[in-house]
Amino acid sequence: MPFANGGVAVTPYGFKRIRTRSGKILWERTPPAPCRAIEDGPLLNMNLMLAQDVSAGTARAAQLPDRPVGGKTGTT
């Protein structure tokens, strides 16, 4: 999710590497270059909105004492 990742897209993958039983690497995934998914202005606004829903909105039960939290309720 780019909102929690500083606006950088993440490409999902199933395998990081394939090794033999003895540890020899047969194949290893090359990580893609970081790609911007959302600009800083909209990212800041989205994170503030998601945090507001937890601090004062309908997602208050999702608050955590030791870290910032953002959330969304409903179907929007």
Side-chain angles (χ1 to χ4, degrees):
M1 169 179 257
F3 306 127
N5 198 35
V8 178
V10 176
T11 304
Y13 58 91
F15 299 95
K16 183 174 180 177
R17 75 178 56 95
I18 299 172
R19 293 185 290 201
T20 63
R21 286 185 184 193
S22 63
K24 179 182 175 189
I25 296 174
L26 301 175
W27 174 85
E28 189 162 13
R29 178 182 178 268
T30 303
C35 175
R36 198 85 178 133
I38 185 170
E39 295 302 318
D40 287 337
L43 173 65
L44 174 65
N45 288 331
M46 181 62 76
N47 282 331
L48 288 172
M49 181 182 70
L50 293 171
Q52 185 68 22
D53 192 38
V54 175
S55 67
T58 56
R60 280 178 268 186
Q63 290 181 15
L64 297 174
D66 60 341
R67 68 190 75 175
V69 177
K72 183 190 90 57
T73 60
T75 57
T76 304

